[in-house]
Amino acid sequence: MGILTYKDEKFYMDGKPFVIVSGTIHYFRVHQDYWYDRLLKLKECGFNCVETYTCWNLHEPEEGKFDFTGMLDIEKYIDIANELGLYVILRPGPYICAEWEFGGLPAWLLKYNDMELRCYDELYLSKVKRYFTELLGRLRFKLAINGGNIIMLQIENEYGSYGNDKKYLKAIHNMYQELGMETLFFTSDGAEYSMLTGGTLDGILSTANFGSRPLINKKMMDEYFPNQPFMCAEYWDGWFDHWGEEHHVRPYKEIVEDFKTFMDNDWSINVYMFHGGTNFNFWNGANHPGTYQPTVTSYDYGALLTEAGDRTEAYYKFREILIEKFGDLVPSLTAKETDKYAYGKVKLKEQAMLFKNLDNIAHKVHVTAPKYMEDIGQNFGYVLYRTTINGPFDKWSLNIEHVHDRAQVFVDGVYKITYTRWEKIENEDKVKIPLGYNQHANLDILVENMGRVNYGPKLRDKKGATGIKFCSQYSNQYHFGWDMYSLPMNNLSKLIFKENVDINKIEPMFLKGYLEIEDEPKDTFLLLDGFEKGFVVINGFNIGRYYKEGPQRTLYVPAPILKKGKNEIIVFESDKTSSLTVEFLDKPILG
């Protein structure tokens, strides 16, 4: 398409002055059948470029085994952008943040206890090199210099917010060059002295990330990097939500004013997000500024396109500004909003209890002391710790030293208490197991991985429960001898369902029902009133987590995962439900 360069304060495309007007759409947050629709809407808004991260943890889910199919077919995604005349800014990381599980790093890295992440650690860099070799080997021929549409490549990601290892940044840069990625390189960091000091490289374009005050940030970047084009690599037009918080809503007039400032001054911008999409499956990340904060399933972000791809008022305002600036270069509107439909209520008439189906869907490992799920080769989902307590046994209280992230405790199948990572553990006396001679009790602890930390110093975020002990006033006794059941929940086909449904007690369960669709499927939104916590799988596709804490109340169901006729719905409820009915709406409820 064209070769991007810069000189002094201007970008040039094939030698002509060029303003980058880019928007972020993550291919891995959008069903592949909707890539064309979302990219077309980007083009018709007047943007000339799309930006995306890549997700190492999904592309290499098991060490040495790669996946570039379906929603991970990044080559196809870039080709669609090319068809539409869009340039691509690629941000391969290897760390991406993005409110994405573990910031995009694969969980199997955590089995290397001596490995240091995101610095010049030779073991870590060897894993990065293998991933980059596979990923960039596929994308090298899509560089602009090779006739493709990739015009920029980011080195790491907001590294100044994490470290200051220039040798590491140079190693990433060198990998790109060794793998033939001849293009314009850049770094992106917050427009603050320390972040820019730690995250930039001499001779490499530096860009800034922020969500307001473009004039002030421009002044900072001019002071630090005089003779470079000013570009905001992430202009945050909205924000994301955590479970238990208020839904974030930003007045669109603020972002419209900032965008106009950029265009009036010929400054380049990447709008983060243009279209947020969805944290399907267990792919959401978490923050930990002092308290663990898992991110919700929706990544609507308050972006220019909604989670379901609908244009917002901000979209049309941005388009007006771009028409004013570029005139007829902005194409006319042809893309249509996807159809939405309220399919109504569906009763879940079949039930499969988790504890009775462990042999059908779990892999069991016997361990002396409880381990983290990464230590037994598990990435996502739940892990069950099971043991037997033999009498005689005093009335000592159960204590779990490390809960990552939510643990439900059952004694002889009876629910006792839930421990969470973000709340002070209280009422430990609720779990006392007084036993006489020749008596025993079964202890089950079900732990959910609610998303690994994706930002900051707590990235090394192993999941599960360790340090399980019984305590009295004067003593602590660790309990040894456990069966660990790995429950990634990625194949539920072997569950044995029964039609006699009982929801009167607290016990993890799967509930199944069927949605009948007569015509071509349409987008819809699933409401789970009466349910408390879990996830939903429709026709084998995990549409994400739900949680009574909100703010999100509905889950987005893209039409391509539905079909004419009978659609299987499986709800995993880990706590309890007062309802056996779910409802499909034609509008989302995000809080």
Side-chain angles (χ1 to χ4, degrees), residues 9-10 19 214-215 218 230 258-268 325:
E9 295 188 357
K10 288 186 179 295
V19 177
L215 295 172
K218 170 70 163 63
F230 177 56
D258 285 349
F259 186 69
K260 191 170 191 315
T261 298
F262 271 89
M263 294 301 100
D264 287 347
N265 288 280
D266 288 338
W267 297 337
S268 290
K325 183 171 183 63

Side-chain angles (χ1 to χ4, degrees), residues 6-259:
Y6 70 90
K7 183 179 180 182
D8 297 328
E9 295 188 357
K10 288 186 179 295
F11 284 111
Y12 295 87
M13 185 65 71
D14 289 339
K16 298 179 181 179
F18 186 73
V19 177
I20 299 168
V21 187
S22 177
T24 298
I25 306 175
H26 297 148
Y27 60 96
F28 47 88
R29 280 185 161 122
V30 181
H31 192 281
Q32 65 267 28
D33 288 3
Y34 280 155
W35 287 345
Y36 185 89
D37 172 80
R38 306 317 194 241
L39 290 170
L40 177 61
K41 287 171 178 172
L42 177 76
K43 176 75 174 180
E44 292 183 350
C45 192
F47 285 57
N48 54 33
C49 187
V50 63
E51 175 269 312
T52 185
Y53 287 125
T54 68
C55 47
W56 183 8
N57 57 355
L58 297 193
H59 284 307
E60 192 178 2
E62 297 179 48
E63 187 168 4
K65 296 182 180 180
F66 294 95
D67 187 0
F68 291 90
T69 62
M71 287 175 61
L72 301 178
D73 189 352
I74 186 173
E75 294 175 83
K76 181 178 179 181
Y77 181 78
I78 292 172
D79 287 345
I80 293 172
N82 200 5
E83 289 173 27
L84 290 168
L86 290 167
Y87 296 106
V88 171
I89 297 173
L90 193 65
R91 303 170 78 185
Y95 162 83
I96 63 172
C97 185
E99 292 71 60
W100 190 253
E101 225 272 349
F102 198 10
L105 300 176
W108 51 258
L109 288 176
L110 296 174
K111 72 183 181 183
Y112 295 98
N113 293 321
D114 295 331
M115 177 190 289
E116 294 293 339
L117 304 174
R118 299 186 72 194
C119 66
Y120 195 90
D121 180 290
E122 291 187 355
L123 179 60
Y124 172 67
L125 286 170
S126 71
K127 310 302 181 185
V128 174
K129 181 67 175 289
R130 181 180 59 210
Y131 165 57
F132 277 174
T133 300
E134 184 71 27
L135 172 73
L136 302 180
R138 295 168 177 269
L139 302 182
R140 181 171 61 250
F141 299 105
K142 300 185 185 302
L143 294 171
I145 197 169
N146 295 322
N149 56 331
I150 299 174
I151 58 171
M152 296 180 75
L153 194 65
Q154 180 176 277
I155 299 171
E156 238 274 354
N157 181 54
E158 294 185 321
Y159 187 66
S161 299
Y162 181 83
N164 60 1
D165 189 347
K166 301 289 186 175
K167 187 178 180 182
Y168 166 61
L169 293 180
K170 289 177 181 176
I172 299 296
H173 181 215
N174 290 340
M175 282 186 202
Y176 288 163
Q177 293 180 311
E178 291 168 8
L179 293 169
M181 300 301 287
E182 297 181 47
T183 188
L184 178 60
F185 300 113
F186 71 102
T187 60
S188 65
D189 291 282
E192 298 181 15
Y193 287 121
S194 296
M195 293 180 183
L196 292 169
T197 300
T200 57
L201 279 175
D202 291 341
I204 301 296
L205 175 69
S206 175
T207 65
N209 297 344
F210 54 84
S212 60
R213 306 181 303 169
L215 295 172
I216 293 174
N217 286 292
K218 170 70 163 63
K219 184 178 180 181
M220 163 68 80
M221 295 301 288
D222 282 349
E223 179 182 344
Y224 208 91
F225 296 101
N227 303 321
Q228 284 192 356
F230 177 56
M231 178 176 177
C232 180
E234 286 187 16
Y235 176 77
W236 308 315
D237 56 350
W239 207 243
F240 52 93
D241 295 336
H242 295 126
W243 293 116
E245 296 180 351
E246 294 292 323
H247 175 51
H248 287 87
V249 178
R250 183 176 184 183
Y252 77 88
K253 291 183 180 180
E254 294 178 4
I255 64 173
V256 169
E257 289 174 5
D258 285 349
F259 186 69

